[in-house]
Amino acid sequence: MIQFMRGQSDISRRIQFDLNCNYNTPEEIRELFGEIIGQKMDQDFALFPPFYTDFGRNTHIGKRVFINSCCHFQDQGGIFIGDGCLIGHCVVLATLNHDPEPSRRQNLRHKPIRIGNGVWIGANVTITAGVTIGDNAIIAAGAVVTKDVPADIIAGGAPAKIIKSIHD
């Protein structure tokens, strides 16, 4: 299994080099990103490179998604992004964690990140393993999200806390 993971990571890095180091049209960007994640991208998908991932094939993207520049998706645990999401620049989605026990610290724990439909994630946000963001939520710039965020909520801070409903 580890050989497969390393092989796929190498393939993803090669594609990322083309994506991040060459000028590409929006169509070419969609094609290259689709190669990384193994999914045909919707015509309304947009990405501003550079983009970084450690694996690639465990990222699943809905329709009408925008990903701004310099995002890092650590997707070995699975990343699921719903339709109509906006992801600000320098967002980190980290699905892996290490065992806290020093003798087992090299062991990895995988947990997926699930982002609902219509979510807006501000710049420089970090979302950690196992977190679910509900539909239409807004995550304020600079937040560190370590716990689930309900639908229709604005959350921010480090660690992120509920600020208010988007309907207030």
Side-chain angles (χ1 to χ4, degrees):
M1 180 60 131
I2 191 76
Q3 291 302 88
F4 168 76
M5 298 295 277
R6 287 183 178 155
Q8 182 57 48
S9 292
D10 188 52
I11 292 168
S12 291
R13 281 193 310 275
R14 289 176 194 205
I15 300 167
Q16 287 172 74
F17 186 82
D18 188 14
L19 177 68
N20 296 336
C21 297
N22 294 306
Y23 171 78
N24 293 290
T25 66
E27 295 79 19
E28 292 167 332
I29 289 170
R30 279 193 295 277
E31 185 176 321
L32 289 165
F33 187 82
E35 284 181 50
I36 291 169
I37 70 168
Q39 175 184 333
K40 182 169 175 38
M41 301 314 298
D42 162 63
Q43 277 297 106
D44 292 324
F45 171 80
L47 168 75
F48 288 175
F51 171 82
Y52 306 96
T53 185
D54 64 341
F55 185 68
R57 291 299 173 119
N58 287 337
T59 296
H60 311 277
I61 306 281
K63 295 179 173 156
R64 301 177 323 279
V65 170
F66 172 70
I67 301 172
N68 215 325
S69 63
C70 297
C71 289
H72 296 252
F73 288 12
Q74 182 193 56
D75 73 329
Q76 291 182 42
I79 294 172
F80 301 86
I81 299 172
D83 295 341
C85 290
L86 303 172
I87 300 177
H89 65 273
C90 300
V91 167
V92 174
L93 303 180
T95 66
L96 298 177
N97 210 341
H98 293 273
D99 195 300
E101 173 60 39
S103 66
R104 295 188 304 265
R105 188 129 327 136
Q106 296 298 319
N107 296 341
L108 293 174
R109 295 179 176 182
H110 303 72
K111 289 185 182 175
I113 292 172
R114 299 180 189 283
I115 299 170
N117 297 321
V119 172
W120 173 20
I121 300 172
N124 295 300
V125 167
T126 297
I127 300 175
T128 61
V131 167
T132 296
I133 308 292
D135 291 347
N136 304 312
I138 298 171
I139 309 300
V144 178
V145 185
T146 60
K147 295 183 178 168
D148 293 353
V149 174
D152 301 314
I153 289 295
I154 299 172
K161 294 184 179 3
I162 293 173
I163 297 171
K164 66 179 187 174
S165 168
I166 65 170
H167 303 294
D168 286 346

